[in-house]
Amino acid sequence: MRRRRWIPFAQALLGAALLAASPVRAAELKVLTSGAFKPVVAEIAGRFAADTGTVVTLDNDTAGALARRVEGGETFDVLILTPGALAELQKAGKVGPGAIAPLAKVGIGVAVKAGAPKPDIATPDAFRQALLSAHRVAMIDPAAGGSSGIYLAGLFARMGIADAIKAKAVLVPGGLVATRLVSGEADLAIHQISEILAVKGADLVGPLPAAIQNYTIYAGALAPRPADPQAAAAFLARLAGPDAAPVLAAKGMQPAAP
């Protein structure tokens, strides 16, 4: 059954790959992406532009904010969000009817300022103690719609430390949370690993313990009417293809499917 479920996407990806193999005329693509996936998109977009001459413009935001922008009518050619959010937008006619392509998954990590002592986060209890010992903890503001912030708010409630963290939280509306370490506004940051690795001056302590880890899956879809359908399909195929695997690994992400 599991294999059968992937057949429609495999067929769609093959078609897109054939387009990718064909000469693609110079075009311009607007790509909207969740922030955690931006480092991957940026690197692959550079290679795609060199290969095809296509100009790829990137715009990133939290998952919730992107969904609201697209619901409000913002135009794009390729959209990268969680599969659930893309499915809802597709039902509303805001995303094209083609296959939603799974691209990657990323876990949540903990960071400190470069050179600072790294706390023990090997177990849920150790992670809890590290949070309570920190003076200021930076994270995405759950109200902004960031997936890591929403998950962490629930996790802290389950761990019984929600009030303690609220008193010391540095809530970031969007962007790279670990920059608050570099600026001195926080001494501990919790964010998607890919976004921690993107900040010079921040050191990744490690991922959350497996028992409390949460992975966000990212997927891509085309607009209902891309400005250049062939270029948009080719770019999405590149993001979902085998050439993306080393880029994912370098940016702290994993393939969406084992």
Side-chain angles (χ1 to χ4, degrees):
M1 291 296 293
R2 183 175 182 178
R3 183 179 179 183
R4 194 176 303 126
R5 198 167 57 233
W6 285 92
I7 288 175
F9 168 66
Q11 292 172 335
L13 182 57
L14 176 61
L18 291 174
L19 287 174
S22 304
V24 178
R25 69 181 184 277
E28 294 187 7
L29 295 178
K30 178 180 178 181
V31 180
L32 298 180
T33 177
S34 297
F37 202 71
K38 182 183 177 182
V40 175
V41 181
E43 182 157 338
I44 293 178
R47 299 179 185 183
F48 187 77
D51 292 343
T52 67
T54 302
V55 177
V56 182
T57 301
L58 304 183
D59 191 349
N60 70 283
D61 211 329
T62 65
L66 280 182
R68 290 191 292 271
R69 286 165 57 179
V70 173
E71 287 170 350
E74 182 164 346
T75 60
F76 64 92
D77 296 296
V78 179
L79 176 62
I80 298 165
L81 271 177
T82 61
L86 288 175
E88 289 300 314
L89 290 170
Q90 194 173 59
K91 289 178 184 177
K94 300 294 186 178
V95 165
I100 292 174
L103 301 175
K105 67 179 182 179
V106 63
I108 297 172
V110 178
V112 296
K113 188 173 182 177
K118 295 181 178 180
D120 178 12
I121 61 167
T123 66
D125 284 343
F127 172 66
R128 183 179 186 276
Q129 187 55 51
L131 290 170
L132 294 176
S133 298
H135 296 294
R136 302 287 284 173
V137 178
M139 57 182 280
I140 284 286
D141 187 347
S147 55
S148 66
I150 293 170
Y151 173 74
L152 289 171
L155 176 64
F156 297 156
R158 294 192 297 275
M159 298 178 81
I161 57 173
D163 289 341
I165 301 303
K166 183 178 180 180
K168 63 175 71 178
V170 177
L171 298 178
V172 183
L176 300 172
V177 168
T179 58
R180 301 311 197 268
L181 299 171
V182 181
S183 67
E185 297 171 69
D187 53 314
L188 202 69
I190 314 171
H191 203 191
Q192 310 282 26
I193 291 173
S194 59
E195 299 202 75
I196 290 173
L197 295 179
V199 177
K200 185 177 181 180
D203 283 348
L204 176 67
V205 177
L208 295 187
I212 56 172
Q213 180 60 275
N214 182 71
Y215 288 96
T216 299
I217 296 176
Y218 292 102
L222 302 181
R225 291 174 294 279
D228 189 314
Q230 181 175 333
F235 183 66
L236 183 56
R238 184 75 66 93
L239 289 174
D243 291 346
V247 180
L248 293 177
K251 304 300 182 183
M253 306 189 88
Q254 304 173 39

